[in-house]
Amino acid sequence: MTTIAGTIAVFLYLIALGYLALGIRDRPLAAGQPRGPLAVWLLALIAHLVALVPAIATGTGWNLCLGNALSASMWLVAALLWVTALRHPLASLGMVVLPLTLLAALTALLCDGDARYATSAGIAVHVLFSALGWAFLALSTAQAAVMTAQHRALHDHHTRGIVRYLPPLFSMELWLFRMIFIGWLFLGLSLISGFIFVDDLFAQDLVHKSVLSILAWVIFSVLLLGRWRLGWRGSRALAWTTGGFVALVLAYFGTKLVLEVILGRV
């Protein structure tokens, strides 16, 4: 059932991508959301979730192997963007997010890891905060990259293609820093809950994850402070956003890659 649902999700993501590309070409997204792509996108999310739940929530604990962790994180990013696109003309960001979600779903189908962790209410809260923080900051990074391309295209007077259908830069920037702030808040809560509920970070091979997560939180803190006090925007904001997200990716998935793939530990 898990494999079937995952395969269906992959095909639905492909259809949603094609449908979204046609919608972007045929009419401006700002004039009305493309309901067709969003409907297929929703079906893909449902199929993906059907595949994820039994793969992760097992009878002996949560199976958070590298593939499952990537798949769950990208599902949350895609779901968050879908909800946002219902009210704001940001569906075009799906051209960036959906291919990554599709690849993550494929990775989960091929995942043969068996990393199981005992669950508790405290650990569940910590994982929830971590997932929400990662999702908001991942989506912020994708939007920052699109904004950079949009700014460059407008500066060079190239307004063809997807640039014509994006919201004004001012609106994009406002939403960007709202999402960064929410992601920063959840990341901070995940750090606090981790120090409260996780026993012996060194014994559980979590010290590197903790250090890199703290580094990411500090980077985003500097970015928000620079935005508030100095009005940072444009390429400087993108650089800090990208740097913080890279640290976060290394924290969440770099450690898993080393432990599970390179060292063969689960």
Side-chain angles (χ1 to χ4, degrees):
M1 180 63 181
T2 299
T3 303
I4 294 174
T7 304
I8 292 173
V10 168
F11 280 107
L12 287 173
Y13 280 131
L14 283 172
I15 295 172
L17 271 170
Y19 209 164
L20 186 59
L22 289 176
I24 291 174
R25 186 193 66 182
D26 292 340
R27 62 173 177 169
L29 299 183
Q33 292 302 311
R35 298 299 175 180
L38 289 179
V40 180
W41 188 338
L42 176 60
L43 292 176
L45 289 172
I46 293 173
H48 193 171
L49 184 62
V50 170
L52 270 177
V53 172
I56 293 178
T58 69
T60 56
W62 288 8
N63 184 350
L64 294 176
C65 64
L66 180 60
N68 284 347
L70 280 170
S71 185
S73 298
M74 287 309 304
W75 180 90
L76 190 56
V77 173
L80 175 62
L81 180 57
W82 183 85
V83 172
T84 304
L86 291 177
R87 298 191 60 183
H88 304 291
L90 292 175
S92 54
L93 288 177
M95 298 300 294
V96 177
V97 171
L98 290 185
L100 298 176
T101 308
L102 185 156
L103 290 175
L106 280 174
T107 303
L109 291 176
L110 301 175
C111 178
D112 59 356
D114 194 30
R116 304 185 190 278
Y117 300 88
T119 57
S120 67
I123 294 298
V125 169
H126 169 66
V127 171
L128 177 62
F129 284 152
S130 298
L132 288 172
W134 195 93
F136 274 101
L137 294 173
L139 186 53
S140 300
T141 304
Q143 183 175 338
V146 171
M147 284 176 58
T148 300
Q150 181 184 13
H151 183 272
R152 184 178 297 112
L154 292 174
H155 183 268
D156 295 337
H157 304 289
H158 294 157
T159 56
R160 295 182 178 180
I162 195 174
V163 174
R164 291 184 298 168
Y165 311 129
L166 292 173
L169 272 174
F170 176 80
S171 298
M172 291 276 282
E173 191 172 68
L174 183 63
W175 293 331
L176 171 67
F177 280 96
R178 284 178 179 174
M179 287 192 295
I180 290 176
F181 175 77
I182 296 173
W184 170 83
L185 186 61
F186 278 122
L187 179 57
L189 290 173
S190 75
L191 291 172
I192 294 172
S193 61
F195 283 113
I196 293 175
F197 297 115
V198 178
D199 298 325
D200 198 347
L201 296 177
F202 290 92
Q204 297 186 36
D205 297 309
L206 295 177
V207 62
H208 299 94
K209 176 179 180 294
S210 301
V211 171
L212 288 169
S213 296
I214 292 172
L215 176 61
W217 186 85
V218 170
I219 291 174
F220 283 112
S221 299
V222 173
L223 171 61
L224 290 172
L225 183 62
R227 167 69 175 180
W228 176 49
R229 300 294 296 177
L230 303 174
W232 285 2
R233 58 188 304 178
S235 59
R236 177 171 294 177
L238 174 65
W240 281 89
T241 302
T242 304
F245 185 65
V246 167
L248 203 58
V249 169
L250 291 175
Y252 283 21
F253 302 112
T255 302
K256 277 186 168 294
L257 179 65
V258 172
L259 291 177
E260 296 181 21
V261 179
I262 298 178
L263 298 181
R265 296 164 61 183
V266 296

